[in-house]
Every structure is written in structure tokens, then in C-alpha cells.
Amino acid sequence: MAGSNPNAKPMNLTLKVWRQKNRNAQGGIVDYQVKDISPDMSFLEMLDVLNEDLLRQGEEPVAFDHDCREGICGSCNLFINGRAHGPEPGTTTCQLHMRKFNDGDTITIEPWRANAFPVNKDLSVDRSAFDRIIQAGGYISVNTGGTPDANEIPIPKDIADRAFEAATCIACGACVASCKNASAMLFVSAKVSQLALLPQGHVERKSRVENMVAQMDKEGFGACTNIGSCAAECPVGISLENIAILNREFLSAKATSNNLA
Amino acid sequence: MSWITKTFSSSIGRKIIMAVTGLFLCTFLVVHLVGNLQLFNADNGAAFNAYSEFMGHNPLIRTMEIVLVLGFGFHIYEGLALAAKNRAARGNQRYVVDHIEQNSSWHSRSMALLGSIVLFFLIVHLYNFFGSLRFTDVPRDANGNEDAYALVLAAFKDPLYVLLYVVGQVALLYHLLHGFSSAFQTLGLTHRKYTPAIKFIGYGFSIVVCAAFAAMPIYFYFFK
Ligand code: HEM
Ligand code: FES
């Protein structure tokens, strides 16, 4: 394999994996041994090896979410050794390589924990609360018709850059998973500030932040206490400044919108 | 619910109450500290007693006292209620292995604990001084002012009180090391130009204020 290290020794690992039959079942940690894991594998490939072993033994494979396996879809959400997406900063689980671990290690793998993210099965959680928050206001209105010219609306480069940084959020939920308060404010703030920074977002500027925050509260996420675990664990580096922008947008929308309800 | 109650019962609205009351309590600390520095005067408490008499009877101060009680009330109620709500948001099943210490500081995660220690200190502190001065007859000094200084002298002969006061100030120190700059973030006042200065002032404020308050019981215990 190109780029692989021929001297890398295969590893044997002990996995402590959260197993839970369904949403209402009582779950628990189950121990597994995996052998001959290449350091060049991704964490998800290592779990694939475990699941093939389990299938061969006639056991139920471990359910976990994954899709793109290249850090863009935000579905490979695992709490590994006490950290969201594992100990490496700036990575999703699919971007985490087994070379970050050592032969003989014990690795504990749990699902995201938050009331608003119920466990579907094993390591797979239901993050549809995020979808409902987006539906409440994470969109813009555009006219259909002819394609507008690119760059028709002038946007200063630094504003465009900051909006783009906020737009890189992949909605994985690591912010919620690592927050002591299970707060979704880093996620919501990335969406709100991205659209508040750009002129295209101004049509719904006030109703967006009012509705998204209302939905966030309704889903049962906690309130931010500015601890900063979320930004430290975010795989794409969404900054806490977005939460300040969210607070500002919320306060000014509440003070000036025509919405009396 | 009107839009106002809706705003201030939302998660962000409640945080705004925390931040506004928290910063208001910081201004109270400054006033309280500046007055109490009279304790270090070598006049056997004459200036301190005159100041204390003024604070007890000036109508403006008495009005602000009501605002202060409300400020504390809202801050404490919302703080403890939010802490309970946030704990519940995490759910009953906790992580089996959680290394949250690798991504955040202890004191930022312990605001409710630190606040509760400050609250305990506050109750004892009010009982020590405010209660006696407001609700009992205290002997008067040579100038005819209530002798608050004598109360301070008596209280800080007890090493247990000295210890409690110092612990209270350490808790307040850590509460403010996170709280001061956090309040600006909550209010949306974060900006790459000003935030470094806010953080610096926050640390300086917390250390100076808490060290000065803690110096009082220590000074009286060892030097008076
Ligand atoms: C002189 C006394 C006090 C001062 C100056 C003070 C100041 C502050 C400040 C500035 C904040 C930050 C607000 C924010 O993050 O937006 C804060 C947060 C907090 N305070 Fe206090 N506080 C005091 C006493 C107390 C007491 C007695 C309690 C009672 C338990 C308490 C509980 C809390 C809690 C739980 C938070 C975190 C709230 C959150 O971030 O959601 N505080 N305080
Ligand atoms: S599987 Fe898509 S981000 Fe990891």
C-alpha cells in the first residue's frame, strides 16, 4: 500500500465497547480482543475487523455510524478513551489512525451521551435533534430563475473567510458530546453566525436566531457555561467567538424583532 | 408568556441574567473593598466605624441594598437552577471513561460548587456583621458611631472564622477567574481586539480583590 510503513508492527488490543440492544434496553460495556491490527488502519477499519470476527462467531456486530470515511459527513461519532473522536485534536473518528495507539492498549468506546441524542443501538445515536434545529431556521430564501453571476454581491474577504470557517461545521455533535452541560450552542452558533455574516442570510436574520434557539431549548440541550470543551474537541475548529455572535444576534433579535410571541 | 418573559426564560436569556448580575456583583465587590480598606487605618477603627455608620443610614445606599439583594437572589437562583438543568441535559447514563480534564479547566467546570462555597461564606458573613449591626444594639465608639470595628476584632480572634473567610475568598477567586471574562462572552462582547484585555483585567481584578479581602482576617488574627 502506498505510504504504508513496512516496519509497522501489527497490534493486539482490548476493546471495551458499549453494547445496547435498542433505545429502551439497559446497555453495558462488553470486552473484546482484536488481533493483528495494522497501525495504518483507521479506527473505523479496526472496528470493521472486530465486526468481521463477531460475524464469523455468529454474534451480532457492533452498530456504529459512518458514511464518507473522509471527515466530511460527521456521522462517525464515537467517544474514545474519554474524548470525543478520541485523543487526537482536529480529527473525526474516521481520520483517527491506529498508529496513535500502542500494542496491548485497552480502548474504551462509548456513544455520544446527551438526553437530546438518545442511543439507537450500541454506538449509534439519534442526532435528528440537530436536523430539527436546522429546519427551524438554518436556511436562506432565494429567488428561483436565471443563475446569478458569481460574486454579484460584494462581500469583504475577511467576512467571507469568517463565514466560511463557521460553515465548515459538519454537525457531528462532538460539541454536545464533550460539553459537561450537553449544550448545542457551538453547533447552533456556527449556523447562526455563518448566515448572519453574509448578506444572503439577512432576510431571515432575526427570525432565524429566535427560532433556532427556541428549538434548541425544546430539544433539551443544556445552556453554555463558556467552559470551552466544545471548541477544544471540534474536529473542524469552530471557535467560541461564534457563541458570542449567537448571543449578540439573539439579544438584538429579541430586542428589535416584531415578534411579540 | 410575553416576549420579555420568553426571552429571559430561554437558555441564552437566563445566561444573560447570570452575566449581568455577576458583573453587578463585581462592582459591589469594589465598593465593599474600598470601604473595608479603612480597617487597615491605625486609628482603632474610627474611620471604619464612621464609614459603616454612613453605609447603614444613607438613603441612597439603603436603596442600592435592595438592588444588591435582588442581584444576589437572581444570580444564586438562576445559577443553581441552570446547574441542575445542565446536569439533567447530560442524561442519567454518564460516560464510563471521561477525560474532560484534557479539554477544559477545573474551575470553569465548577462554577456551581465554587458559588455554593461563596454562598455558605456569605451567610456566615452576614450573620457575623450585617445581622449584628442591623438587628441588635451595638456599643458605640468615642465618636458615637456603632463600633463595627470591635465586631471585626472579636470575630477574627477565632481561627475558625479566619479559615472560613480565607477559604471563601479562594472560592471567590476561582469563581471570578472564569466568571469575569465569561460574562463578557455571554453578553456577546467578544472581539479579537478587546478580549485579550478583558481576560487580563479579569485575572487582575480577581486576584487583587480576593487577596485584599483575604488579607483582612489574616491581618487581624496575627497583628491585632
Ligand atoms: C460576590 C459574589 C459573586 C460574584 C461577584 C459572582 C460573579 C459571577 C460571574 C461574573 C459569573 C459569570 C456569568 C457568565 O458566565 O455569564 C458567575 C457565574 C456563576 N455564578 Fe456567580 N458570583 C458570585 C456569587 C455566586 C453565588 C453565591 C452563587 C451561588 C451558588 C453563584 C453561582 C454561579 C454559577 C452557578 C455561575 C455559572 C452560571 C453559568 O455560567 O451558567 N455565584 N458568577
Ligand atoms: S465517516 Fe464521515 S466524517 Fe467520519
Side-chain angles (χ1 to χ4, degrees), chain A residues 199-220:
Chain A
Q200 290 91 334
H202 283 203
V203 182
E204 294 96 354
R205 185 168 182 174
K206 291 176 188 175
S207 61
R208 172 181 307 115
V209 64
E210 291 190 310
N211 293 339
M212 287 180 81
V213 170
Q215 189 64 35
M216 169 182 94
D217 288 350
K218 201 167 138 198
E219 298 290 346

PDB file of all heavy atoms in Angstrom, chain A residues 199-220:
ATOM      1  N   PRO A 199     -24.663  38.647   3.487  1.00  0.00           N
ATOM      2  CA  PRO A 199     -25.876  39.379   3.106  1.00  0.00           C
ATOM      3  C   PRO A 199     -27.032  38.450   2.732  1.00  0.00           C
ATOM      4  O   PRO A 199     -28.193  38.774   3.005  1.00  0.00           O
ATOM      5  CB  PRO A 199     -25.444  40.227   1.908  1.00  0.00           C
ATOM      6  CG  PRO A 199     -24.039  39.866   1.595  1.00  0.00           C
ATOM      7  CD  PRO A 199     -23.491  39.049   2.697  1.00  0.00           C
ATOM      8  N   GLN A 200     -26.712  37.284   2.159  1.00  0.00           N
ATOM      9  CA  GLN A 200     -27.789  36.365   1.764  1.00  0.00           C
ATOM     10  C   GLN A 200     -28.608  35.897   2.971  1.00  0.00           C
ATOM     11  O   GLN A 200     -29.750  35.475   2.823  1.00  0.00           O
ATOM     12  CB  GLN A 200     -27.209  35.118   1.061  1.00  0.00           C
ATOM     13  CG  GLN A 200     -26.642  35.386  -0.311  1.00  0.00           C
ATOM     14  CD  GLN A 200     -25.151  35.716  -0.247  1.00  0.00           C
ATOM     15  OE1 GLN A 200     -24.656  36.202   0.771  1.00  0.00           O
ATOM     16  NE2 GLN A 200     -24.442  35.479  -1.338  1.00  0.00           N
ATOM     17  N   GLY A 201     -28.022  35.973   4.150  1.00  0.00           N
ATOM     18  CA  GLY A 201     -28.721  35.474   5.325  1.00  0.00           C
ATOM     19  C   GLY A 201     -29.604  36.521   5.994  1.00  0.00           C
ATOM     20  O   GLY A 201     -30.278  36.227   6.986  1.00  0.00           O
ATOM     21  N   HIS A 202     -29.599  37.742   5.478  1.00  0.00           N
ATOM     22  CA  HIS A 202     -30.236  38.820   6.218  1.00  0.00           C
ATOM     23  C   HIS A 202     -31.753  38.830   6.159  1.00  0.00           C
ATOM     24  O   HIS A 202     -32.393  39.433   7.007  1.00  0.00           O
ATOM     25  CB  HIS A 202     -29.645  40.173   5.795  1.00  0.00           C
ATOM     26  CG  HIS A 202     -28.295  40.392   6.407  1.00  0.00           C
ATOM     27  ND1 HIS A 202     -27.739  41.622   6.590  1.00  0.00           N
ATOM     28  CD2 HIS A 202     -27.401  39.508   6.912  1.00  0.00           C
ATOM     29  CE1 HIS A 202     -26.553  41.487   7.159  1.00  0.00           C
ATOM     30  NE2 HIS A 202     -26.327  40.219   7.360  1.00  0.00           N
ATOM     31  N   VAL A 203     -32.341  38.149   5.158  1.00  0.00           N
ATOM     32  CA  VAL A 203     -33.809  38.131   5.060  1.00  0.00           C
ATOM     33  C   VAL A 203     -34.422  37.556   6.338  1.00  0.00           C
ATOM     34  O   VAL A 203     -35.330  38.127   6.927  1.00  0.00           O
ATOM     35  CB  VAL A 203     -34.260  37.319   3.832  1.00  0.00           C
ATOM     36  CG1 VAL A 203     -35.781  37.339   3.712  1.00  0.00           C
ATOM     37  CG2 VAL A 203     -33.610  37.872   2.566  1.00  0.00           C
ATOM     38  N   GLU A 204     -33.874  36.412   6.781  1.00  0.00           N
ATOM     39  CA  GLU A 204     -34.443  35.756   7.971  1.00  0.00           C
ATOM     40  C   GLU A 204     -33.584  35.991   9.206  1.00  0.00           C
ATOM     41  O   GLU A 204     -33.666  35.224  10.166  1.00  0.00           O
ATOM     42  CB  GLU A 204     -34.550  34.249   7.739  1.00  0.00           C
ATOM     43  CG  GLU A 204     -35.522  33.822   6.677  1.00  0.00           C
ATOM     44  CD  GLU A 204     -34.853  33.602   5.332  1.00  0.00           C
ATOM     45  OE1 GLU A 204     -33.646  33.891   5.210  1.00  0.00           O
ATOM     46  OE2 GLU A 204     -35.540  33.166   4.400  1.00  0.00           O
ATOM     47  N   ARG A 205     -32.769  37.028   9.205  1.00  0.00           N
ATOM     48  CA  ARG A 205     -31.763  37.152  10.258  1.00  0.00           C
ATOM     49  C   ARG A 205     -32.342  37.052  11.672  1.00  0.00           C
ATOM     50  O   ARG A 205     -31.838  36.321  12.522  1.00  0.00           O
ATOM     51  CB  ARG A 205     -31.030  38.481  10.104  1.00  0.00           C
ATOM     52  CG  ARG A 205     -29.890  38.633  11.082  1.00  0.00           C
ATOM     53  CD  ARG A 205     -29.033  39.806  10.708  1.00  0.00           C
ATOM     54  NE  ARG A 205     -27.909  39.923  11.618  1.00  0.00           N
ATOM     55  CZ  ARG A 205     -26.933  40.802  11.463  1.00  0.00           C
ATOM     56  NH1 ARG A 205     -26.944  41.630  10.422  1.00  0.00           N
ATOM     57  NH2 ARG A 205     -25.946  40.857  12.326  1.00  0.00           N
ATOM     58  N   LYS A 206     -33.436  37.803  11.929  1.00  0.00           N
ATOM     59  CA  LYS A 206     -33.969  37.829  13.299  1.00  0.00           C
ATOM     60  C   LYS A 206     -34.772  36.573  13.621  1.00  0.00           C
ATOM     61  O   LYS A 206     -34.605  35.968  14.684  1.00  0.00           O
ATOM     62  CB  LYS A 206     -34.831  39.067  13.503  1.00  0.00           C
ATOM     63  CG  LYS A 206     -34.005  40.349  13.495  1.00  0.00           C
ATOM     64  CD  LYS A 206     -34.867  41.576  13.610  1.00  0.00           C
ATOM     65  CE  LYS A 206     -34.014  42.828  13.406  1.00  0.00           C
ATOM     66  NZ  LYS A 206     -34.836  44.041  13.395  1.00  0.00           N
ATOM     67  N   SER A 207     -35.666  36.177  12.705  1.00  0.00           N
ATOM     68  CA  SER A 207     -36.488  35.001  12.997  1.00  0.00           C
ATOM     69  C   SER A 207     -35.610  33.748  13.099  1.00  0.00           C
ATOM     70  O   SER A 207     -35.906  32.841  13.872  1.00  0.00           O
ATOM     71  CB  SER A 207     -37.564  34.812  11.930  1.00  0.00           C
ATOM     72  OG  SER A 207     -36.972  34.625  10.668  1.00  0.00           O
ATOM     73  N   ARG A 208     -34.529  33.716  12.312  1.00  0.00           N
ATOM     74  CA  ARG A 208     -33.656  32.534  12.347  1.00  0.00           C
ATOM     75  C   ARG A 208     -33.127  32.281  13.758  1.00  0.00           C
ATOM     76  O   ARG A 208     -33.299  31.198  14.321  1.00  0.00           O
ATOM     77  CB  ARG A 208     -32.469  32.699  11.400  1.00  0.00           C
ATOM     78  CG  ARG A 208     -31.431  31.576  11.562  1.00  0.00           C
ATOM     79  CD  ARG A 208     -30.239  31.753  10.644  1.00  0.00           C
ATOM     80  NE  ARG A 208     -30.676  31.908   9.277  1.00  0.00           N
ATOM     81  CZ  ARG A 208     -30.511  33.025   8.557  1.00  0.00           C
ATOM     82  NH1 ARG A 208     -29.884  34.063   9.068  1.00  0.00           N
ATOM     83  NH2 ARG A 208     -30.970  33.089   7.338  1.00  0.00           N
ATOM     84  N   VAL A 209     -32.522  33.298  14.354  1.00  0.00           N
ATOM     85  CA  VAL A 209     -31.886  33.060  15.655  1.00  0.00           C
ATOM     86  C   VAL A 209     -32.950  32.810  16.721  1.00  0.00           C
ATOM     87  O   VAL A 209     -32.788  31.945  17.587  1.00  0.00           O
ATOM     88  CB  VAL A 209     -30.919  34.208  16.030  1.00  0.00           C
ATOM     89  CG1 VAL A 209     -31.629  35.521  16.202  1.00  0.00           C
ATOM     90  CG2 VAL A 209     -30.121  33.862  17.283  1.00  0.00           C
ATOM     91  N   GLU A 210     -34.085  33.510  16.623  1.00  0.00           N
ATOM     92  CA  GLU A 210     -35.147  33.273  17.616  1.00  0.00           C
ATOM     93  C   GLU A 210     -35.648  31.837  17.528  1.00  0.00           C
ATOM     94  O   GLU A 210     -35.795  31.155  18.544  1.00  0.00           O
ATOM     95  CB  GLU A 210     -36.311  34.253  17.392  1.00  0.00           C
ATOM     96  CG  GLU A 210     -35.943  35.695  17.728  1.00  0.00           C
ATOM     97  CD  GLU A 210     -37.155  36.627  17.750  1.00  0.00           C
ATOM     98  OE1 GLU A 210     -37.945  36.636  16.787  1.00  0.00           O
ATOM     99  OE2 GLU A 210     -37.310  37.347  18.745  1.00  0.00           O
ATOM    100  N   ASN A 211     -35.908  31.373  16.301  1.00  0.00           N
ATOM    101  CA  ASN A 211     -36.491  30.033  16.139  1.00  0.00           C
ATOM    102  C   ASN A 211     -35.484  28.922  16.427  1.00  0.00           C
ATOM    103  O   ASN A 211     -35.838  27.888  17.004  1.00  0.00           O
ATOM    104  CB  ASN A 211     -37.047  29.870  14.716  1.00  0.00           C
ATOM    105  CG  ASN A 211     -38.234  30.785  14.489  1.00  0.00           C
ATOM    106  OD1 ASN A 211     -38.879  31.234  15.440  1.00  0.00           O
ATOM    107  ND2 ASN A 211     -38.526  31.092  13.231  1.00  0.00           N
ATOM    108  N   MET A 212     -34.233  29.130  16.009  1.00  0.00           N
ATOM    109  CA  MET A 212     -33.252  28.062  16.241  1.00  0.00           C
ATOM    110  C   MET A 212     -32.955  27.904  17.722  1.00  0.00           C
ATOM    111  O   MET A 212     -32.812  26.780  18.219  1.00  0.00           O
ATOM    112  CB  MET A 212     -31.966  28.335  15.448  1.00  0.00           C
ATOM    113  CG  MET A 212     -32.146  28.108  13.952  1.00  0.00           C
ATOM    114  SD  MET A 212     -30.640  28.408  12.983  1.00  0.00           S
ATOM    115  CE  MET A 212     -29.752  26.871  13.221  1.00  0.00           C
ATOM    116  N   VAL A 213     -32.878  29.012  18.453  1.00  0.00           N
ATOM    117  CA  VAL A 213     -32.616  28.918  19.899  1.00  0.00           C
ATOM    118  C   VAL A 213     -33.819  28.291  20.608  1.00  0.00           C
ATOM    119  O   VAL A 213     -33.665  27.448  21.493  1.00  0.00           O
ATOM    120  CB  VAL A 213     -32.259  30.301  20.492  1.00  0.00           C
ATOM    121  CG1 VAL A 213     -32.235  30.256  22.012  1.00  0.00           C
ATOM    122  CG2 VAL A 213     -30.902  30.757  19.968  1.00  0.00           C
ATOM    123  N   ALA A 214     -35.038  28.664  20.172  1.00  0.00           N
ATOM    124  CA  ALA A 214     -36.237  28.070  20.785  1.00  0.00           C
ATOM    125  C   ALA A 214     -36.244  26.553  20.569  1.00  0.00           C
ATOM    126  O   ALA A 214     -36.540  25.783  21.484  1.00  0.00           O
ATOM    127  CB  ALA A 214     -37.497  28.702  20.205  1.00  0.00           C
ATOM    128  N   GLN A 215     -35.882  26.121  19.351  1.00  0.00           N
ATOM    129  CA  GLN A 215     -35.872  24.682  19.060  1.00  0.00           C
ATOM    130  C   GLN A 215     -34.771  23.979  19.858  1.00  0.00           C
ATOM    131  O   GLN A 215     -34.984  22.891  20.400  1.00  0.00           O
ATOM    132  CB  GLN A 215     -35.678  24.454  17.552  1.00  0.00           C
ATOM    133  CG  GLN A 215     -35.865  23.008  17.120  1.00  0.00           C
ATOM    134  CD  GLN A 215     -37.290  22.507  17.334  1.00  0.00           C
ATOM    135  OE1 GLN A 215     -38.244  23.275  17.182  1.00  0.00           O
ATOM    136  NE2 GLN A 215     -37.447  21.249  17.719  1.00  0.00           N
ATOM    137  N   MET A 216     -33.618  24.639  19.964  1.00  0.00           N
ATOM    138  CA  MET A 216     -32.501  24.084  20.734  1.00  0.00           C
ATOM    139  C   MET A 216     -32.927  23.825  22.192  1.00  0.00           C
ATOM    140  O   MET A 216     -32.640  22.768  22.763  1.00  0.00           O
ATOM    141  CB  MET A 216     -31.332  25.071  20.676  1.00  0.00           C
ATOM    142  CG  MET A 216     -30.184  24.810  21.610  1.00  0.00           C
ATOM    143  SD  MET A 216     -28.930  26.103  21.453  1.00  0.00           S
ATOM    144  CE  MET A 216     -29.436  27.219  22.769  1.00  0.00           C
ATOM    145  N   ASP A 217     -33.648  24.798  22.766  1.00  0.00           N
ATOM    146  CA  ASP A 217     -34.115  24.625  24.146  1.00  0.00           C
ATOM    147  C   ASP A 217     -35.145  23.504  24.238  1.00  0.00           C
ATOM    148  O   ASP A 217     -35.143  22.711  25.173  1.00  0.00           O
ATOM    149  CB  ASP A 217     -34.716  25.936  24.678  1.00  0.00           C
ATOM    150  CG  ASP A 217     -33.634  26.980  24.949  1.00  0.00           C
ATOM    151  OD1 ASP A 217     -32.447  26.621  24.900  1.00  0.00           O
ATOM    152  OD2 ASP A 217     -33.990  28.145  25.202  1.00  0.00           O
ATOM    153  N   LYS A 218     -36.038  23.470  23.230  1.00  0.00           N
ATOM    154  CA  LYS A 218     -37.104  22.464  23.234  1.00  0.00           C
ATOM    155  C   LYS A 218     -36.537  21.041  23.163  1.00  0.00           C
ATOM    156  O   LYS A 218     -37.089  20.116  23.758  1.00  0.00           O
ATOM    157  CB  LYS A 218     -38.014  22.725  22.029  1.00  0.00           C
ATOM    158  CG  LYS A 218     -39.390  22.142  22.137  1.00  0.00           C
ATOM    159  CD  LYS A 218     -40.294  22.733  21.058  1.00  0.00           C
ATOM    160  CE  LYS A 218     -41.151  21.641  20.463  1.00  0.00           C
ATOM    161  NZ  LYS A 218     -41.701  22.046  19.163  1.00  0.00           N
ATOM    162  N   GLU A 219     -35.429  20.878  22.459  1.00  0.00           N
ATOM    163  CA  GLU A 219     -34.831  19.551  22.320  1.00  0.00           C
ATOM    164  C   GLU A 219     -34.161  19.092  23.615  1.00  0.00           C
ATOM    165  O   GLU A 219     -33.772  17.938  23.731  1.00  0.00           O
ATOM    166  CB  GLU A 219     -33.788  19.536  21.191  1.00  0.00           C
ATOM    167  CG  GLU A 219     -34.341  19.843  19.803  1.00  0.00           C
ATOM    168  CD  GLU A 219     -35.237  18.729  19.251  1.00  0.00           C
ATOM    169  OE1 GLU A 219     -35.215  17.621  19.816  1.00  0.00           O
ATOM    170  OE2 GLU A 219     -35.950  18.977  18.260  1.00  0.00           O
ATOM    171  N   GLY A 220     -33.976  20.007  24.567  1.00  0.00           N
ATOM    172  CA  GLY A 220     -33.422  19.606  25.856  1.00  0.00           C
ATOM    173  C   GLY A 220     -31.907  19.667  25.967  1.00  0.00           C
ATOM    174  O   GLY A 220     -31.323  19.001  26.815  1.00  0.00           O
TER     175      GLY A 220
END
